[in-house]
Amino acid sequence: MSAKSIINKELFTPHDEKMLAAVQVKRRTKKKIPFLATGGQGDYMTFICLSVTNKKPSHVSITKVKQFQGSSSFIKRSQWTLDQLRQVNGIDTSKDCPEFDLMFDNGLDQWVASSGGEKCTFIQILHHSCQRYCSARKPEFVNCQSKLLGVYRCKGFFNRMGKDLGSHQGRQKKQGNSILHSAADSVTSAVQKASQALNERGERLGRAEERTADMMNSAEQFAVTAHKLAMKHKC
């Protein structure tokens, strides 16, 4: 069982949550901590996890999880709500670099993921979750590749285009230009349909993420049951 599967099973499933994404990270700038919580010095692995509650209304959290050297267990070290996230900095828009920053109300964390691809997957799911679950102001995503924000960037473009066309339509009414008025109506309608299609696509992506998490949990439960049966017959 992978480390991420164990984290989901041990830390989130017991609290009626499911993990949407996780990325293994290291700090770009190390903090000087002479003694860790375990009572001494030692190495550790760090994961940044994104989770959502199963009960409605849904609450999404970003959790820092650590596993200390010599220990098989994972522990939660810090946790933030999605509304506390202010900015996600992808550092470089030209390539899949592993560096990224997360800025919260109370501070900034600078990370290096285990790979550029793992970081991109995490940011893509994080961005979609912000669009879907944030109740207040949505965090800002800067220096992120367009492929990670594609659906919602397109939707925002269509919305802006629709507003611009609506404003243009108002000016044409005053000028009495019926031909441009009709054309603006047609294009505005097309923009609204395209925006609606993108919104529906985003909802389907959200449902697909939830089904993937459910399938992962089912696979883990099946593996545990199969192992128990194998040990029983072996005895």
Side-chain angles (χ1 to χ4, degrees), residues 33-36 38-44 68-69:
I33 305 178
F35 293 97
L36 301 177
T38 54
Q41 294 180 333
D43 294 329
Y44 54 86
F68 292 98
Q69 187 178 36

Side-chain angles (χ1 to χ4, degrees):
M1 188 180 296
S2 68
K4 294 178 184 179
S5 298
I6 295 174
I7 290 173
N8 183 53
K9 180 182 178 181
E10 292 184 355
L11 300 185
F12 296 106
T13 301
H15 297 282
D16 201 22
E17 296 178 82
K18 57 185 172 185
M19 192 170 71
L20 300 176
V23 57
Q24 185 177 349
V25 296
K26 290 185 178 180
R27 288 191 180 276
R28 292 211 307 277
T29 55
K30 293 184 178 180
K31 290 184 176 181
K32 294 182 179 180
I33 305 178
F35 293 97
L36 301 177
T38 54
Q41 294 180 333
D43 294 329
Y44 54 86
M45 291 194 302
T46 304
F47 293 84
I48 302 298
C49 304
L50 182 69
S51 63
V52 61
T53 58
N54 291 317
K55 292 182 178 179
K56 305 296 181 181
S58 300
H59 296 283
V60 181
S61 300
I62 299 173
T63 307
K64 182 166 62 179
V65 174
K66 290 188 177 183
Q67 182 187 41
F68 292 98
Q69 187 178 36
S71 173
S72 60
S73 61
F74 294 87
I75 58 174
K76 293 181 179 180
R77 299 294 290 176
S78 303
Q79 191 171 58
W80 303 267
T81 65
L82 205 58
D83 289 333
Q84 290 177 297
L85 180 63
R86 287 291 167 256
Q87 186 185 84
V88 178
N89 190 338
I91 305 301
D92 194 334
T93 60
S94 63
K95 60 182 179 180
D96 291 347
C97 69
E99 295 86 4
F100 69 100
D101 297 343
L102 298 178
M103 180 183 293
F104 298 95
D105 288 335
N106 57 352
L108 171 69
D109 284 335
Q110 298 178 313
W111 301 109
V112 179
S114 58
S115 70
E118 189 174 0
K119 163 219 167 177
C120 288
T121 299
F122 179 79
I123 288 183
Q124 188 173 37
I125 297 175
L126 176 59
H127 179 262
H128 174 72
S129 299
C130 290
Q131 301 302 316
R132 185 178 182 187
Y133 295 110
C134 276
S135 57
R137 182 181 63 182
K138 292 180 174 59
E140 181 184 18
F141 283 74
V142 299
N143 300 320
C144 294
Q145 293 173 291
S146 58
K147 66 180 181 180
L148 306 182
L149 319 177
V151 172
Y152 292 98
R153 276 191 171 178
C154 289
K155 182 179 177 183
F157 168 77
F158 281 127
N159 287 338
R160 289 194 301 272
M161 185 176 177
K163 290 179 181 178
D164 291 342
L165 285 170
S167 177
H168 177 70
Q169 178 182 343
R171 291 194 300 271
Q172 293 305 321
K173 280 183 179 180
K174 293 180 180 179
Q175 296 173 7
N177 193 328
S178 60
I179 296 177
L180 288 178
H181 181 181
S182 178
D185 279 342
S186 299
V187 176
T188 301
S189 177
V191 168
Q192 291 174 345
K193 289 180 180 179
S195 179
Q196 181 180 358
L198 284 168
N199 185 56
E200 292 173 352
R201 180 187 173 193
E203 291 297 324
R204 288 196 297 271
L205 284 172
R207 290 194 294 269
E209 290 171 5
E210 293 179 355
R211 287 197 296 270
T212 299
D214 291 340
M215 290 174 64
M216 183 176 70
N217 292 334
S218 298
E220 292 172 6
Q221 294 174 3
F222 176 81
V224 172
T225 302
H227 177 71
K228 289 181 179 179
L229 287 173
M231 294 299 295
K232 181 178 180 180
H233 287 295
K234 184 177 179 181
C235 295

